[in-house]
Amino acid sequence: MKRSNLPDRRGYFGEFGGKYVPETLMAALDEFETAYRGLRRDRAFRSELDDVLRDFVGRPTALTEAKRFAELCGGMRLFLKREDLNHTGAHKINNALGQALIAKRMGKKRIIAETGAGQHGVATATACALLGLGCVVYMGEVDMARQELNVFRMRLLGAEVVPVTSGSRTLKDAINEAIRDWVTNVRTTHYIIGSVLGPHPYPLVVRDFQSVIGREALAQLRKRTGSIPDVAIACVGGGSNAIGLFYEMLKHDSIRFIGVEAGGRGPNLGDHAARFSGGALGVLHGTRSMVLQDEFGQIAETHSISAGLDYPSIGPEHAYLQQIGRVEYYDCSDDLALEAFHKLSECEGIIPALESSHALGWLLRNGASIGSGKIVIVNLSGRGDKDVPQIAALEGR
Amino acid sequence: MNRVRKLFQRLKTEHRCGLIAYITCGDGPTIEIIRALEDAGADAIELGVPFSDPIADGPVIQAAAMRALKNGTKISDIFTIARAVRERSEIPLIAFSYLNPVLRHGIEKFADHAHAAGIDSVLLTDLPAEAAAEVKPAFKAKGLGSIFLLAPTSSDARIAVVDRASDDFIYYVSTMGVTGARSELDPALLTRLDEVRAQVRKPLAVGFGISKHEHFALLQDRCDAIVVGSAIVRAVADGDEIGAATRAGEIVRSIRMI
C-alpha cells in the first residue's frame, strides 16, 4: 500500500479531512502549511529536531519484550514500544517539539494548546520552556480535576492553564476554546494541536512528527527478531500515537493493524468514545471524520475513564484506514482497561497510562485469537503516573 | 431573484445602509422577536441554528445556543419559524449555521426544506469558499443563495475566491475574534473595508462587534449593510420572556436612530 500520497493537496484522505474553519483562520492554515512544506525536507530543521529528540526527549525509546504479560494474553511474542519513557512521559512531546520549532521559525511568540489528559499540555509547556515561547493551555474543568498533577506540572513549566467551563468541560470544549483564542490572536500565535485532528495540515504534520515511533520500532524489531511484526496495536483517541506506530508499517501488507477506542461504560451514546460503532460522518473542529452526534447533528458528550480518549471525533486518516479496511478498530471498556492497567503493573513492572491500557486490555481479552507464535507490538503511548491519584480515588485506596 | 438580492438592489437605489438582525432560533419567543425586529426597521433576519460547539461565537451566542438546545430546538424548528414569518412577511431570511447540523440533515434535504419554508440564503460559518462546491449546486437548484465570509486576514487571492463564490452578498468579519458586542470598532476596519470593497463586485455586509449607533454611523457609507447579533441576543436573554421581543426591537431602533 502506498503511504505517501495522502492527504491530497486539499488535505483529504479519501472523503475525510479537509479544512472546515471560519474564514479568519484560513490564512493561518495556509501560512502554517507553507512553512511546514518548506521545512519538511530542510536539512537544518531535520537535524535540529533530531538533536532535540535525542538529547532532550531521550529517543530512541526502548522496545521491551513483555513475556509475563504475554502469557496472560495467550502467549505471543509481545513487544512494548516504550513511549512512556520519553521526557514528560508520553509520545505527545514528539509533536509538541516539532510544532514549537516550526512556530519559532514562523516568528510566532505565543503558543496555545488544548489538553485532555494533560500529557499534550505538559509536552507543549515543556517545548515552550525549552524554546522560550509563551504558552497558554486550555483544559476542561472536569479534566483538570481528574488530572490535577498535570495541571500543576504545566504551571511549574511556566504555562498558563485556562479552565474551560463550557459544554462537557472536557477535551472537545478545550479545543473549542483554543480555536476561539486562535481566531482572536492568530497573527502572533501558533496553535499546537495535540493529535492527528483538526483542519489540514494538522493531521499531516502531527502524523509526520509521530511517525518516528513506528520507524524506530521497525528497526528495533528487525534487530531483535529478524522480522517485522505480525500485529500492531495502539489505543485511539484522536489517534496520534496509533498513526505514529502504524504509519511506517503500512507499507507492509502482511501486518495486521488494530486500533482500540474507548468503550467506556456501555454502548449508549454518551457512555463511550467509540466513533466507528457509534458515530456518523460529520464535521467537528475543522475536519470531516466519524463523529459521535445525535440525529440532529449536535455533537454528543462522551465518556471514558481515560481523559485522553474522551473525544467525539477521530483523526480523518483513521476514518480512511477504517473505510478501506486496512486497520481494524475495536473498543475496550473502562473495566477491561483498568484490569490491564493492574496486570501490566504487576507482572511487568510498568505502570501504563490509562489510554495505553485500552490497547493492552483488548489484547488481554482477544490475544488468544492471534496465535502463540506471532510477533505483536503494542504502543505503550504513555506512563500511568498521572493516573495514580484517579485510580486510588476510584478504588478507595 | 431571491429576497436577499432584491434587498441589496433596493438599498443601492435608496442609497441606504441596511441592517441585518441575527437571532439564535429557539432562544426566547423567536417568531415574536422577528416581528419586533422587522417593525423596528431590520431589513433582513439571520436565523441562527443553535450548535453544541460554536467555535466562532463569543459567550453571549454560546449561551443562547445552549439555552436553545436545552429547549429542544432542532433544525426542523428553523423551518417552522421561517414558515410562520412567511405567512405575514416578505422580509429576507438567511439561515446561519455551522456545517454539521446541515450535513446531518442532508444537504439536499436541507435545501429542499429551507426553500419550501421561504428561506432565501444560507451562510455556513465553518465552510470556507474553497469548499463551496459541497453545497452550492444543491442550494442553487432550490434558488437558495450561498453567502461566504471574509476576514481581516483574508488575502487578495481569497477575496477573489469569496467574491466569486458568494451569491447575494459577502459577510465581512469586522475584527479578529469571535462574535460579541464591543465598545469600539477595530481601528483598522475602515481602511481595510475600503480596500476590500474596491476588490469585490458583490455587496458587502459587515458584522461582529457592532452594537451601537456610533458604529453604524461610521460604517454606513462604507458598506451595504451591517449585521447586529450579540447585542440583540443579549437583550432577548436580559429579562423576562414577555418583554424579549420589545427589548430586541429597541436594540435595532437604538442603532439606526430613526
Side-chain angles (χ1 to χ4, degrees):
Chain A
M1 176 183 156
K2 271 196 186 163
R3 295 166 301 124
S4 56
N5 55 348
L6 290 177
D8 66 21
R9 206 174 44 79
R10 294 170 59 234
Y12 287 88
F13 304 87
E15 64 178 302
F16 307 104
K19 275 185 195 180
Y20 298 92
V21 294
E23 172 66 22
T24 310
L25 295 179
M26 290 298 283
L29 293 175
D30 290 347
E31 182 192 0
F32 181 37
E33 187 178 353
T34 305
Y36 180 64
R37 294 226 180 263
L39 293 172
R40 201 177 182 190
R41 287 184 183 80
D42 181 280
R43 277 210 188 146
F45 179 78
R46 298 295 333 175
S47 96
E48 187 180 1
L49 179 62
D50 289 347
D51 287 353
V52 83
L53 288 177
R54 185 187 62 235
D55 303 333
F56 183 72
V57 176
R59 301 208 71 93
T61 56
L63 187 75
T64 302
E65 183 159 8
K67 289 186 183 162
R68 286 174 21 93
F69 187 80
E71 274 172 36
L72 301 177
C73 302
M76 71 285 294
R77 276 200 83 180
L78 173 63
F79 292 89
L80 305 175
K81 181 60 175 162
R82 301 291 305 281
E83 291 301 296
D84 61 317
L85 295 179
N86 280 324
H87 180 42
T88 71
H91 71 292
K92 294 291 187 188
I93 191 82
N94 303 327
N95 165 56
L97 268 170
Q99 283 198 50
L101 285 171
I102 299 176
K104 198 158 185 182
R105 298 218 177 189
M106 288 194 298
K108 307 276 181 180
K109 305 258 186 284
R110 179 174 178 268
I111 297 293
I112 55 172
E114 84 294 339
T115 198
Q119 289 305 118
H120 174 59
V122 167
T124 304
T126 300
C128 290
L130 178 72
L131 299 174
L133 298 164
C135 182
V136 176
V137 180
Y138 289 93
M139 189 170 187
E141 255 188 350
V142 169
D143 291 337
M144 283 178 76
R146 58 181 166 179
Q147 298 291 348
E148 226 180 331
L149 188 65
N150 273 342
V151 174
F152 192 58
R153 288 168 80 195
M154 287 184 270
R155 288 179 174 152
L156 283 176
L157 292 159
E160 182 191 343
V161 183
V162 180
V164 175
T165 56
S166 57
S168 56
R169 292 172 292 148
T170 60
L171 181 57
K172 146 181 112 69
D173 311 283
I175 296 178
N176 290 342
E177 223 37 58
I179 294 175
R180 290 181 188 122
D181 178 316
W182 202 31
V183 169
T184 310
N185 301 298
V186 63
R187 287 192 172 119
T188 58
T189 299
H190 177 65
Y191 177 18
I192 300 189
I193 292 183
S195 194
V196 284
L197 286 168
H200 179 65
Y202 282 102
L204 163 74
V205 173
V206 179
R207 177 191 78 193
D208 283 1
F209 287 135
Q210 293 295 0
S211 63
V212 64
I213 300 171
R215 201 155 49 242
E216 282 179 11
L218 275 177
Q220 289 166 320
L221 272 175
R222 274 211 181 92
K223 211 166 164 189
R224 295 273 278 282
T225 68
S227 94
I228 58 171
D230 297 298
V231 185
I233 308 174
C235 65
V236 187
S240 69
N241 94 81
I243 287 283
L245 180 70
F246 297 167
Y247 185 64
E248 292 286 342
M249 298 183 179
L250 285 168
K251 61 188 166 207
H252 299 289
D253 289 334
S254 65
I255 302 176
R256 181 183 174 200
F257 296 96
I258 291 163
V260 184
E261 298 178 278
R265 55 191 168 218
N268 294 332
L269 194 65
D271 284 346
H272 62 83
R275 286 68 48 102
F276 288 120
S277 56
L281 188 65
V283 168
L284 178 67
H285 297 145
T287 191
R288 183 195 292 265
S289 189
M290 297 302 287
V291 181
L292 289 167
Q293 54 184 307
D294 69 13
E295 59 182 307
F296 307 109
Q298 304 297 337
I299 307 306
E301 298 199 348
T302 50
H303 163 81
S304 170
I305 191 172
S306 99
L309 303 183
D310 203 349
Y311 182 68
S313 182
I314 187 166
E317 190 162 12
H318 284 289
Y320 173 74
L321 291 168
Q322 193 262 354
Q323 190 183 55
I324 64 168
R326 187 67 187 97
V327 178
E328 302 159 50
Y329 294 84
Y330 302 100
D331 52 66
C332 166
S333 69
D334 285 353
D335 289 345
L336 185 54
L338 260 179
E339 189 184 332
F341 175 90
H342 284 295
K343 288 269 162 40
L344 194 80
S345 303
E346 287 160 18
C347 63
E348 295 293 345
I350 299 168
I351 301 176
L354 278 175
E355 288 76 14
S356 324
S357 300
H358 284 70
L360 297 165
W362 184 88
L363 190 63
L364 201 54
R365 185 58 46 89
N366 301 284
S369 66
I370 286 175
S372 59
K374 295 284 170 45
I375 296 170
V376 176
I377 182 165
V378 172
N379 195 9
L380 200 73
S381 54
R383 70 177 82 131
D385 306 36
K386 68 181 173 59
D387 300 313
V388 170
Q390 184 195 352
I391 286 171
L394 200 69
E395 297 180 347
R397 294 182 203 175
Chain B
M1 191 185 297
N2 77 28
R3 296 175 191 89
V4 176
R5 218 166 302 170
K6 276 186 200 153
L7 167 68
F8 279 97
Q9 280 196 348
R10 199 173 71 236
L11 291 170
K12 199 165 191 177
T13 51
E14 292 172 9
H15 301 290
R16 180 167 79 78
C17 178
L19 188 149
I20 302 172
Y22 170 96
I23 42 127
T24 299
C25 291
D27 179 38
T30 304
I31 297 167
E32 276 176 55
I33 294 168
I34 292 171
R35 180 187 281 251
L37 292 167
E38 189 176 359
D39 290 348
D43 295 292
I45 304 292
E46 280 182 1
L47 300 171
V49 178
F51 181 50
S52 54
D53 293 82
I55 52 170
D57 285 302
V60 170
I61 293 178
Q62 281 176 46
M66 294 310 127
R67 285 191 298 270
L69 290 175
K70 220 171 171 185
N71 294 340
T73 310
K74 304 171 187 63
I75 207 159
S76 55
D77 296 320
I78 280 74
F79 306 133
T80 310
I81 290 164
R83 274 195 302 274
V85 173
R86 278 289 165 262
E87 279 177 17
R88 55 156 190 85
S89 168
E90 287 298 304
I91 191 165
L93 295 175
I94 301 151
F96 198 101
S97 182
Y98 289 86
L99 180 56
N100 201 58
V102 173
L103 211 55
R104 187 66 201 247
H105 194 79
I107 305 271
E108 271 155 35
K109 207 168 125 195
F110 177 87
D112 205 16
H113 292 169
H115 169 71
I119 289 171
D120 302 290
S121 305
V122 184
L123 193 159
L124 300 170
T125 321
D126 50 354
L127 185 83
E130 283 83 350
E134 292 177 32
V135 299
K136 262 192 93 163
F139 290 175
K140 201 174 174 184
K142 293 290 167 188
L144 293 171
S146 299
I147 295 159
F148 293 92
L149 299 162
L150 279 175
T153 49
S154 304
S155 64
D156 289 355
R158 294 194 48 75
I159 291 173
V161 170
V162 168
D163 193 29
R164 268 197 303 278
S166 290
D167 291 320
D168 309 328
F169 68 95
I170 296 166
Y171 187 128
Y172 186 78
V173 176
S174 74
T175 185
M176 314 285 291
V178 292
T179 58
R182 289 164 175 81
S183 54
E184 304 291 328
L185 290 180
D186 190 320
L189 172 63
L190 300 183
T191 334
R192 184 67 188 138
L193 207 49
D194 291 344
E195 289 166 10
V196 172
R197 210 180 183 192
Q199 292 179 55
V200 300
R201 292 170 299 123
K202 305 283 163 60
L204 215 52
V206 179
F208 279 45
I210 297 166
S211 58
K212 307 195 282 202
H213 177 72
E214 293 91 300
H215 302 160
F216 179 63
L218 278 168
L219 287 167
Q220 62 178 342
D221 296 328
R222 287 190 159 87
C223 61
D224 302 284
I226 59 160
V227 186
V228 182
S230 295
I232 292 170
V233 172
R234 184 161 56 200
V236 165
D238 196 16
D240 57 9
E241 178 144 336
I242 300 170
T246 312
R247 292 192 300 274
E250 278 162 14
I251 296 290
V252 171
R253 284 198 185 86
S254 73
I255 289 172
R256 296 198 59 165
M257 268 194 175
I258 46 169

